[in-house]
Amino acid sequence: AQTVTQSQPEMSVQEAETVTLSCTYDTSESDYYLFWYKQPPSRQMILVIRQEAYKQQNATENRFSVNFQKAAKSFSLKISDSQLGDAAMYFCAYRRIEDDMRFGAGTRLTVKP
Amino acid sequence: KAGVTQTPRYLIKTRGQQVTLSCSPISGHRSVSWYQQTPGQGLQFLFEYFSETQRNKGNFPGRFSGRQFSNSRSEMNVSTLELGDSALYLCASSPPGARGTYEQYFGPGTRLTVT
């Protein structure tokens, strides 16, 4: 079974600094998708970034970028120039084609002013 | 484009009762998934519907059921409620297209409290 592990239950970062959230996953598949979702205190889950496993290039969305290491089954999220609005729970997710999405336990990110 | 909407947002029920939650996906999205979120278990997949057919089902008892209508709106039902069913129930829809079906857009959730 595919599992997603987020080893950092909590992280904190100073405003304007950079933080990296870790995620590892277990799969025997070669074609799949990886996602990072953000869930602010208001509870609405927001898609932050996605990565297709067949693409070697790391995805980037403005201040958010990933470090995708397929062989190591690692998918970390880097947030640059952290802002107060980045404070939230961050979930890493894996989805195999035609299968359901599996989520990690989440990392609570605190941004200090 | 309007996002995923869920009704009601909050619900309080008594053990043994049943409840129906509703989800309207983003216009044009045909796939709807449901998740249960609790502090202890995290996000757990309930089921996924596509074009009115259940495509995947998570490991939940038969008390949890769902359906999807021709307009892609979905409902989930929980019968004989238990205290452990208290959770945030999230609905998510996916855009059409072979490669585009894999990201999901979430609604605000329905907070169910069972007393």
Side-chain angles (χ1 to χ4, degrees):
Chain A
Q2 297 85 10
T3 59
V4 180
T5 302
Q6 293 180 249
S7 59
Q8 307 153 315
E10 295 184 359
M11 290 283 284
S12 68
V13 63
Q14 207 69 35
E15 198 176 2
E17 297 293 306
T18 296
V19 64
T20 299
L21 308 184
S22 301
C23 173
T24 58
Y25 57 95
D26 180 33
T27 185
S28 57
E29 303 293 328
S30 59
D31 199 6
Y32 50 86
Y33 293 78
L34 296 164
F35 307 89
W36 278 98
Y37 281 90
K38 168 185 176 182
Q39 190 177 37
S42 66
R43 293 290 189 175
Q44 182 110 25
M45 293 267 279
I46 302 166
L47 176 64
V48 174
I49 199 164
R50 60 177 263 172
Q51 174 80 43
E52 293 91 338
Y54 65 88
K55 289 186 178 179
Q56 292 185 337
Q57 187 172 5
N58 289 325
T60 299
E61 288 286 343
N62 301 313
R63 299 182 294 106
F64 299 88
S65 62
V66 299
N67 183 6
F68 173 48
Q69 302 289 328
K70 191 172 184 179
K73 298 178 185 176
S74 170
F75 183 60
S76 60
L77 175 70
K78 186 172 83 170
I79 306 174
S80 304
D81 186 25
S82 296
Q83 301 175 359
L84 295 177
D86 294 335
M89 281 290 285
Y90 285 82
F91 293 95
C92 177
Y94 163 100
R95 189 171 195 182
R96 185 172 65 92
I97 292 172
E98 301 301 333
D99 204 356
D100 56 280
M101 193 171 285
R102 307 294 176 98
F103 287 86
T107 296
R108 182 175 302 279
L109 177 67
T110 302
V111 181
K112 299 177 181 179
Chain B
K1 211 181 237 189
V4 177
T5 58
Q6 292 186 247
T7 56
R9 292 293 309 278
Y10 302 91
L11 206 49
I12 299 175
K13 290 286 189 179
T14 304
R15 271 181 301 176
Q17 288 185 315
Q18 76 166 16
V19 66
T20 299
L21 311 182
S22 181
C23 170
S24 292
I26 292 171
S27 177
H29 289 194
R30 292 163 60 194
S31 170
V32 173
S33 296
W34 289 88
Y35 296 86
Q36 181 194 67
Q37 186 178 25
T38 60
Q41 299 296 319
L43 277 152
Q44 292 188 288
F45 171 75
L46 280 156
F47 24 67
E48 179 189 13
Y49 287 88
F50 179 80
S51 292
E52 301 179 66
T53 300
Q54 188 179 87
R55 191 152 68 173
N56 287 305
K57 189 178 191 304
N59 189 26
F60 277 82
R63 300 185 296 107
F64 292 81
S65 63
R67 59 177 175 169
Q68 186 180 34
F69 302 95
S70 58
N71 61 358
S72 295
R73 190 177 69 86
S74 178
E75 289 182 346
M76 68 162 281
N77 184 77
V78 187
S79 62
T80 319
L81 284 165
E82 300 177 0
L83 294 178
D85 297 334
S86 294
L88 182 69
Y89 289 88
L90 294 170
C91 168
S93 70
S94 294
R99 287 289 182 181
T101 56
Y102 305 113
E103 61 196 46
Q104 295 184 332
Y105 296 88
F106 285 81
T110 293
R111 168 72 63 188
L112 172 64
T113 302
V114 182
T115 62

